[in-house]
């Protein structure tokens, strides 16, 4: 931990190499500002130098026409300055030459947001228009950084559509002719900014009122400076899991979260978590490398206390003097503030005692996050100080997701490179893999690096990704992380030369393999090569590069291994596997099939995409001949072939059945690289009306809409339009999926095609700050709308949707969102009839009851229980933290024919009444929370067995135990999950073994009363295929001959005491897994 560098930067960046001036701040140490105003200049930790930490120089860039300078703009500038909002206001002196440059260009690039005073004279200035283009470019049209247009005595539509004086100004520019090459860019920027709802200031608006509104909006929208992370881990699901443990939405109390593990990526992980949750707190501090700083001479702990107070916005005039006084100061000054405090790399209880001994040191709703390598530090803190600390364990590399795909043709490459690495007696110790981007150089290098053969050959291994815009310091730090993962941290104050020498010292006398991935030029090699010892002891260096000159400069062994495109046979093998799997290709199709493959020019992505298209067509010569004739000519050797590739991707889209096209295009509403829950996706398709019931005309019941949706998704996966991210516990079904960036771009472009908007529907997606939505078309009053919000934009989103607009979907995936606080009662009344899908954090039950047209209701928490009788169309109800159901006397007798998913609900007498009256005849998935205060579980669930369609059951026990033989399990259950089960006995397993159709059994977080848990005799678990235990205190598992005869997979997560499993499990070979740490295998109702 502590080996990473973080800076206070915006999430989305200009290229540092394009920025004006030296970038001194890259040498700074980690720190975070938490002053009384988030817009103050960022203070440094007092032990650091004077280099500014933030890439940003200004809070606001103010763009305006000159004639407003001494009027409205000047008053606005002073108002912003009074609020300590650092604002850049340009002057005519900066406008030199024909193009934006110098201080003006830098000011736009290094401002956190922009305000545009759009008056009727604004478009007459080429400088204003150039500024506007640059602002929209840097802000991603308002999606990366906030842009606030002020329509100053001008209509918003005049700006967006260039009407009236804006039209005249554009015509004048065109007539003059000097800037005709810029006209389209100007018009496009005006159209984009005109789509953003800003502030209006017309002749009737008082300036004071308008300026107050502008300053207030800037204050709300100007984001806190986040930590900059050079290479994000890409572990969104783990971050969301840790975030959920923090219960950000709760202000009732302060509590601590301890993140522990041996991985060196914990510091980066918690920095990403910090960035996600920082906006929810009044002030914050991120104290890094605590273990090192504590050991510094001169009062390390006192200095950290001073830093903490300073970063929290508290003035520290004199030195604290003692840790006792510092602790008192922290408690006194921060006891009423809602703060976020990160203590990174804690290794002793003394550090905790000085910085965050008790939760009452901080105000209600505060969160303290502790990272440590030693879990016993957290245990000591809990024991000695009587505080509650939630724990989260992260293992190194646990965030990686492996893409499921056919890999063809690397076997020979692997063998060749391995043999070169073995040649110790030949000249040189560098081996190079050379080839153009996308050919699999990194994939091959990673396969070699992780192979058992290489691990035996090279006891010492290290990996560093160099990349085009490399930093020598970062390369050496990456190598040190691999070579000394548990050693002391390497601070950013260390010079590049010092880090280089540390790498050399680690490698001396060892037989090592160092992989330098993605080396672009010879300069990078010359920077890095001196870290390798001169006296080589069998050490080898493996370089991957796009440039063969790098291989020559590094004196790589010859011949350099050039990774080429797939040859005809390998291309045909991949194409054949994609279409026919293990079956043979009909002889009459092989010739034309090989011709189709040749058009892909050996590029795997093109081969797989084309194969996905061909696989769904008729397997005849005529059909395949037609495909070959229609395939566009694609020159894979040309790096400018993105348009051709997009056409090829679109060709796969065009071949989709019409009924599936809107399902595919819908994926464009999710953020880039989002891991999408399949259950949500299918239910959204249903809510939007994309999936219609099948009328079979037979006595057999038609398939459910959800089953049809599963088939749609399967087809999209089979066509390689959608990627599998995670499988379900059975290893077959898809739990989460992803879409490639190119396909997402295709979805968005095709969605904006008027031909695909026949139903006049609009879907607005807020990926970040307010006003930054992906679909930039505002809803017409007659259209339907769906709204996706991924960050907190309370009180704002309703203003973008007319009150009489029909809203189908409200999707708020952040669990802390409270829909009752995000919109007025009057506005919510307009959604009563139309809303079909609701995903949010919190809601009052009386408000939910108004939405009786809901089909899916998914939320974290429902206040005051829920009267369910009125939701006749409801198909899925899910409450993360549980909900108590009730029904009035009339509703309790009505059957909810459509309800399929219900969880998690209290197994109380109210539920018992609903079950007694047969209210859920078609329920397929049920999650129950069982607690002692609910009364007799046996009595409440006496009619559970009547749920004849129930397939999945989750039982969550809260500090109680119910013998399973008292629960009447439905016979058609195929999956049972127990969570928090105490004192699991052989008797309980015997009960479960009698459930006739049980295929998947999972136990999470429990213990076994008996040292040996018997899983039953012959005939028990007759159909069981998957057995999973997670976090269970168990020593031995046994069974008699004939139990679990169909078992094909057994997985044990975090069961360190387990010494023996059943004979049947031992026979599973590689399908028997023991995993110490794992992410995202929690409870799910699918």
């Amino acid at each position: 931990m502590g080996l990473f560098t973080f800076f206070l930067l915006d999430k989305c960046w200009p290229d540092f190499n394009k920025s004006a001036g030296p970038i001194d701040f890259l040498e700074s140490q980690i720190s975070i500002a938490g002053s009384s105003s988030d817009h103050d200049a960022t203070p440094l930790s007092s032990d650091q130098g004077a280099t500014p930490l933030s890439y940003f120089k200004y809070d606001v860039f103010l763009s305006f026409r000159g004639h407003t300078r001494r009027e409205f703009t000047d008053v606005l500038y002073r108002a912003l300055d009074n609020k300590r909002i650092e604002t850049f206001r340009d002057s005519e002196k900066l406008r030199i030459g024909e193009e934006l440059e110098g201080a003006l260009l830098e000011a736009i690039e290094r401002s956190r947001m922009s305000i545009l005073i759009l008056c009727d004279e604004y478009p007459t200035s080429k400088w204003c228009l150039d500024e506007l283009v640059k602002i929209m470019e840097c802000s991603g049209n308002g999606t990366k950084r906030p842009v606030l247009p002020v329509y100053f005595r001008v209509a918003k539509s005049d700006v967006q559509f260039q009407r009236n004086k804006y039209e005249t100004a554009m015509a004048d520019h065109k007539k003059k002719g000097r800037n005709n090459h810029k006209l389209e860019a100007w018009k496009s920027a005006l159209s984009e900014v005109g789509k953003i709802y800003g502030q209006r200031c017309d002749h009737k608006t008082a300036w004071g009122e308008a300026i107050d509104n502008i300053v207030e909006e800037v204050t709300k929208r100007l984001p806190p400076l986040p930590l900059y992370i050079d290479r994000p881990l890409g572990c969104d699901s783990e971050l969301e899991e840790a975030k959920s443990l923090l219960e950000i939405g709760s202000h009732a109390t302060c509590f601590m979260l301890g993140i522990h593990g041996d991985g060196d990526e914990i510091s980066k992980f918690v920095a990403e978590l910090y960035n996600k949750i920082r906006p929810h707190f009044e002030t914050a501090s991120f104290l890094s490398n605590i273990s090192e700083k504590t050991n510094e001479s001169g009062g390390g702990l006192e200095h950290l206390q001073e830093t903490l107070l300073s970063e929290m916005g508290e003035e520290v005039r004199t030195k604290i003097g003692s840790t006792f006084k510092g602790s008192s100061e922290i408690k006194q000054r921060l006891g009423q503030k809602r703060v976020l405090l990160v203590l990174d790399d804690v290794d002793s209880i003394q550090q905790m005692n000085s910085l965050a001994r008790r939760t009452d040191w901080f105000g209600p709703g505060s969160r303290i996050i502790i990272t440590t390598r030693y879990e016993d530090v957290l245990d000591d803190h809990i024991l000695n100080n009587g505080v509650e600390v939630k724990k989260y364990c992260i293992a190194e590399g646990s965030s990686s997701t492996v893409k499921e795909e056919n890999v063809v043709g690397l076997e020979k490459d692997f063998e060749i490179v391995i043999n070169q690495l073995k040649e110790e007696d030949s000249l040189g110790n560098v081996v190079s893999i050379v080839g153009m981007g996308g050919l699999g150089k990194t994939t091959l290098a990673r396969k070699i690096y992780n192979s058992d053969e290489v691990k035996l050959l090279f006891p010492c291994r290290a990996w560093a990704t160099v990349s085009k815009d490399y930093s020598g310091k970062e390369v050496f730090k990456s190598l040190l992380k691999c070579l000394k993962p548990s050693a002391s941290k390497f601070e950013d104050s260390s010079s590049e030369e010092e880090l280089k020498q540390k790498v050399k010292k680690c490698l001396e006398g060892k037989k090592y393999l160092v992989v330098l991935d993605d080396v672009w030029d010879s300069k990078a090699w010359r920077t890095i090569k001196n870290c390798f010892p001169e006296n080589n002891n069998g050490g080898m260096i493996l370089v991957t590069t796009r440039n063969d000159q790098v291989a020559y400069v590094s004196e790589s062994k010859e011949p350099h291994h050039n990774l080429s495109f797939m040859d005809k046979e390998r291309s045909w093998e991949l194409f054949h596997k994609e279409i026919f799997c293990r079956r043979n290709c009909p002889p009459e199709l092989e010739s034309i099939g090989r011709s189709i493959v040749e058009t892909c020019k050996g590029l795997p992505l093109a081969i797989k995409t084309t194969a996905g298209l061909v696989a769904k067509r008729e397997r005849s010569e005529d059909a395949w001949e037609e495909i070959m004739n229609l395939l566009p000519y694609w020159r894979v050797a040309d790096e400018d072939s993105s348009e051709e590739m997009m056409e090829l991707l679109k060709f796969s889209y065009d071949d989709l059945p019409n009924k599936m096209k809107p399902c595919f295009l819908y994926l464009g509403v999710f953020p880039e690289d989002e891991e999408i829950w399949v259950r949500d996706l299918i239910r959204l398709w249903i809510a939007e009306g994309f999936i219609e019931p099948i009328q079979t005309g037979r006595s057999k019941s038609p398939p459910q809409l959800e089953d049809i949706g599963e088939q749609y998704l399967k087809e999209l996966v089979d066509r390689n339009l959608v990627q599998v991210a995670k499988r379900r516990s059975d290893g077959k079904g898809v739990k989460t999926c992803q879409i490639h960036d190119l396909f997402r771009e295709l979805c968005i472009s095709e969605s904006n095609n008027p031909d695909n908007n026949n139903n006049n529907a609009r879907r607005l997606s807020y990926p970040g700050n307010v006003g930054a939505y992906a679909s930039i078309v505002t809803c017409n009053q007659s259209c339907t709308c769906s709204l996706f919000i991924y960050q907190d934009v309370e009180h704002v989103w309703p203003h973008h949707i007319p009150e009489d607009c029909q809203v189908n979907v409200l999707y708020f995936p952040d669990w802390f969102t409270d829909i009752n606080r995000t919109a007025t009662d009057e506005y919510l009344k307009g959604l009563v009839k139309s809303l079909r899908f609701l995903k949010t954090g919190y809601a009052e039950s009386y408000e939910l009851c108004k939405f009786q047209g809901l089909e899916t209701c998914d939320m974290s928490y429902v206040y005051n229980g829920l009267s369910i009788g009125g939701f006749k169309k409801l198909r899925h109800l899910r409450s993360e933290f549980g909900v108590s159901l009730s029904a009035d006397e009339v509703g309790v007798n009505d059957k909810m024919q459509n309800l399929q998913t219900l969880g998690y609900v209290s197994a109380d007498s109210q539920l018992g009444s609903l079950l007694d009256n047969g209210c859920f005849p078609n329920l397929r998935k049920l999650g129950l929370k069982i607690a002692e205060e609910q009364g007799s579980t046996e009595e409440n669930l006496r009619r559970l067995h009547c749920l004849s369609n129930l397939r999945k059951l989750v039982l969550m026990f809260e500090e109680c135990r119910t013998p399973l033989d008292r629960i009447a399990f439905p016979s058609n259950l195929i999956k049972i999950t127990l969570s928090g089960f105490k004192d699991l006995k052989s008797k309980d397993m015997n009960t479960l073994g009698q459930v006739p159709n049980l295929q998947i059994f999972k136990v999470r977080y429990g213990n076994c009363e008996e040292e040996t848990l018997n899983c039953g005799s012959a005939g028990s678990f007759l159909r069981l295929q998957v057995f999973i235990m997670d976090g269970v205190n168990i020593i031995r598992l046994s069974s008699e001959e004939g139990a679990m005869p169909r078992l094909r997979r057994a997985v044990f997560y975090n069961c360190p005491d387990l010494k023996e499993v059943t004979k049947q499990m031992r026979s599973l070979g590689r399908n028997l897994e023991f995993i110490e740490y794992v992410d995202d295998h929690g409870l799910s109702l699918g």
Side-chain angles (χ1 to χ4, degrees), residues 795-1047:
H795 307 299
V796 179
W797 62 266
H799 301 299
H800 296 284
I801 306 172
E803 291 187 8
D804 56 352
C805 179
Q806 180 177 328
V807 179
N808 283 344
V809 170
L810 290 180
Y811 189 89
F812 301 80
D814 285 335
W815 67 273
F816 53 80
T817 306
D818 187 338
I819 190 173
N820 303 116
R821 293 200 296 264
T822 61
T824 63
D825 290 341
E826 291 76 13
Y827 186 84
L828 291 176
K829 289 178 183 177
L831 305 180
V832 168
K833 294 182 179 179
S834 63
L835 193 63
R836 302 173 70 181
F837 183 105
L838 174 63
K839 184 182 180 77
T840 184
Y842 294 79
E844 291 280 359
S845 60
Y846 74 89
E847 289 290 354
L848 277 180
C849 290
K850 298 175 183 178
F851 303 112
Q852 296 192 0
L854 275 178
E855 296 176 355
T856 295
C857 183
D858 187 340
M859 59 198 58
S860 301
Y861 187 79
V862 181
Y863 297 106
N864 304 319
L866 182 64
S867 179
I868 197 172
F871 295 96
K872 301 305 178 189
K873 296 183 179 180
L874 192 64
R875 304 178 70 86
H876 307 280
L877 173 63
R878 183 177 181 274
S879 175
E880 182 72 22
F881 299 113
V883 61
S884 179
L885 299 182
S886 64
D888 52 39
E889 292 183 2
V890 177
V892 78
N893 293 315
D894 293 339
K895 298 186 186 302
M896 301 186 68
Q897 298 285 352
N898 295 307
L899 190 64
Q900 298 183 32
T901 304
L902 186 57
Y904 296 95
V905 298
S906 299
D908 53 21
S909 59
Q910 293 278 3
L911 178 66
S913 297
L914 292 167
L915 292 175
D916 288 346
N917 286 275
C919 291
F920 314 128
N922 295 308
L923 196 65
R924 304 168 80 184
K925 303 168 187 176
L926 175 63
L928 298 175
K929 301 196 79 168
I930 300 174
E932 287 186 4
E933 61 270 17
Q934 296 166 353
S936 169
T937 302
E938 179 182 1
E939 179 66 18
N940 295 337
L941 301 181
R942 62 185 177 274
R943 300 300 296 274
L944 182 67
H945 69 281
C946 296
L947 298 176
S948 59
N949 289 300
L950 194 65
R951 298 293 180 269
K952 298 182 180 180
L953 176 64
V954 177
L955 301 178
M956 298 175 63
F957 296 87
E958 297 186 339
E959 299 300 324
C960 67
R961 187 190 189 285
T962 299
L964 296 184
D965 60 354
R966 298 182 185 177
I967 299 177
F969 292 99
S971 61
N972 285 323
L973 278 175
I974 62 172
K975 180 178 180 180
I976 295 178
T977 301
L978 306 180
S979 179
F981 193 83
K982 285 188 171 183
D983 303 329
L984 188 65
K985 301 178 180 179
S986 300
K987 182 179 179 181
D988 298 312
M989 294 298 291
N990 183 62
T991 298
L992 295 170
Q994 303 309 309
V995 180
N997 293 293
L998 187 63
Q999 298 178 23
I1000 303 170
F1001 175 55
K1002 186 173 184 178
V1003 188
R1004 297 184 77 237
Y1005 308 141
N1007 68 288
C1008 297
E1009 184 178 81
E1010 305 160 350
E1011 183 171 324
T1012 299
L1013 185 69
N1014 189 284
C1015 295
S1017 58
S1020 294
F1021 296 101
L1022 274 177
R1023 297 180 180 271
L1024 192 71
Q1025 298 183 34
V1026 179
F1027 183 97
I1028 299 174
M1029 279 191 167
D1030 173 15
V1032 179
N1033 294 325
I1034 184 170
I1035 298 177
R1036 291 182 181 84
L1037 278 172
S1038 68
S1039 67
E1040 298 179 22
E1041 194 73 29
M1044 302 184 185
R1046 299 187 182 182
L1047 191 68

Side-chain angles (χ1 to χ4, degrees), residues 193-442:
V193 76
K195 294 168 184 174
I196 300 175
Y197 283 84
Q199 293 284 343
R200 293 182 58 83
C201 184
D202 53 28
H203 291 84
K204 298 179 181 180
T205 309
W207 282 11
E209 178 186 351
I211 287 173
D212 286 345
N213 291 337
I214 294 169
V215 173
E216 181 181 359
E217 184 164 355
V218 170
T219 303
K220 289 180 180 178
R221 293 178 56 185
L222 197 62
L225 288 169
L227 301 173
Y228 170 64
I229 303 164
D230 57 346
R231 293 188 182 96
L233 296 174
C235 50
D236 291 345
S237 62
E238 292 82 359
L239 287 169
E240 287 302 317
E241 183 178 352
K243 182 180 172 184
S244 68
L245 293 174
L246 288 167
E247 301 179 23
I248 304 299
S250 171
H251 292 244
T253 185
C254 165
F255 66 75
M256 302 183 180
L257 173 66
I259 301 178
H260 63 94
D262 292 328
D264 285 312
E265 296 182 342
I266 297 180
S267 294
K268 184 180 287 191
F269 176 87
V270 80
E272 292 192 46
L273 178 62
Y274 178 99
N275 285 345
K276 277 181 171 287
I277 64 177
R278 169 62 184 90
H280 303 286
F281 296 88
E282 181 181 348
T283 186
S285 176
F286 191 119
L287 297 180
S288 65
N289 301 341
I290 286 178
S291 63
E292 281 191 10
K293 293 176 182 176
T294 303
N295 296 324
E296 292 175 355
S297 60
L301 278 174
E302 292 92 328
H303 182 73
L304 283 169
Q305 290 175 327
E306 293 171 1
T307 303
L308 187 157
L309 288 168
S310 175
E311 293 186 352
M312 293 287 191
E314 298 293 328
E315 186 176 359
V316 183
R317 296 181 178 179
T318 60
K319 287 199 172 186
I320 286 178
S322 71
T323 56
F324 178 80
K325 182 180 179 182
S327 300
S328 299
E329 289 286 323
I330 292 170
K331 183 176 180 180
Q332 180 182 348
R333 297 196 190 196
L334 303 179
Q336 299 302 316
K337 286 187 176 183
R338 188 181 193 221
V339 307
L340 171 62
L341 173 61
V342 175
L343 305 177
D344 177 48
D345 198 16
V346 172
D347 62 5
S348 75
I349 187 67
Q350 289 75 21
Q351 296 158 2
M352 293 300 308
N353 290 342
S354 300
L355 298 170
R357 182 171 186 171
R358 297 184 60 84
T359 54
D360 60 6
W361 287 16
F362 309 96
S366 296
R367 297 293 182 265
I368 316 302
I369 303 176
I370 308 148
T371 73
T372 180
R373 296 177 184 274
Y374 313 106
E375 187 179 1
D376 56 356
V377 171
L378 302 175
D379 294 334
D380 290 345
H381 185 45
I382 295 169
L383 180 64
N384 295 340
N385 297 323
V387 295
E388 179 185 354
V389 180
K390 294 185 177 182
K391 294 182 183 179
Y392 183 82
C393 181
I394 181 169
E396 187 173 13
S398 62
S399 62
S400 62
T401 299
V402 179
K403 180 185 175 185
E404 298 182 6
E405 59 182 348
N406 282 319
V407 179
V408 173
L410 289 179
E411 295 80 9
K412 185 176 289 185
D413 300 287
F414 177 86
E415 184 180 349
I416 291 171
V417 177
I418 284 286
N419 287 335
Q420 285 190 318
L421 292 173
K422 289 178 179 178
E423 295 169 0
E424 296 181 12
D425 55 345
S426 61
L427 294 175
N429 68 329
V430 181
V431 175
S432 290
I433 303 173
V434 183
M436 69 170 287
L439 284 177
K441 301 183 297 296
T442 302

Side-chain angles (χ1 to χ4, degrees), residues 108-218:
I108 294 174
E109 290 179 341
R110 297 182 67 176
S111 293
R112 288 201 279 161
M113 74 176 290
S114 298
I115 301 176
L116 301 149
I117 311 300
L118 300 170
C119 62
D120 54 7
E121 295 296 321
Y122 189 93
T124 64
S125 167
K126 96 168 195 63
W127 285 100
C128 287
L129 293 171
D130 283 346
E131 285 178 4
L132 173 63
V133 170
K134 185 63 179 177
I135 287 168
M136 300 307 283
E137 175 189 325
C138 288
S139 69
N141 291 336
T143 63
K144 298 178 181 177
R145 304 182 196 173
V147 174
L148 176 62
V150 178
Y151 301 102
F152 185 76
R153 298 174 180 172
V154 67
K156 176 178 174 291
S157 58
D158 286 359
V159 178
Q160 183 176 358
F161 303 109
Q162 289 99 69
R163 296 172 180 163
N164 299 324
K165 291 197 174 183
Y166 276 66
E167 180 181 20
T168 303
M170 291 295 104
D172 288 345
H173 286 303
K174 184 175 182 180
K175 185 176 180 181
K176 291 176 183 177
R178 291 182 59 189
N179 295 296
N180 282 355
H181 62 292
K182 297 182 178 180
L183 275 177
E184 287 305 314
W186 289 348
K187 290 179 180 179
S188 175
L190 287 169
S191 297
E192 293 298 328
V193 76
K195 294 168 184 174
I196 300 175
Y197 283 84
Q199 293 284 343
R200 293 182 58 83
C201 184
D202 53 28
H203 291 84
K204 298 179 181 180
T205 309
W207 282 11
E209 178 186 351
I211 287 173
D212 286 345
N213 291 337
I214 294 169
V215 173
E216 181 181 359
E217 184 164 355
V218 170

Side-chain angles (χ1 to χ4, degrees), residues 459-476:
C460 178
R461 295 176 303 130
W463 179 293
T465 300
V466 182
S467 74
K468 186 175 182 180
D469 300 317
Y470 73 96
S471 161
K473 284 187 64 174
E474 293 302 313
V475 171
F476 298 138

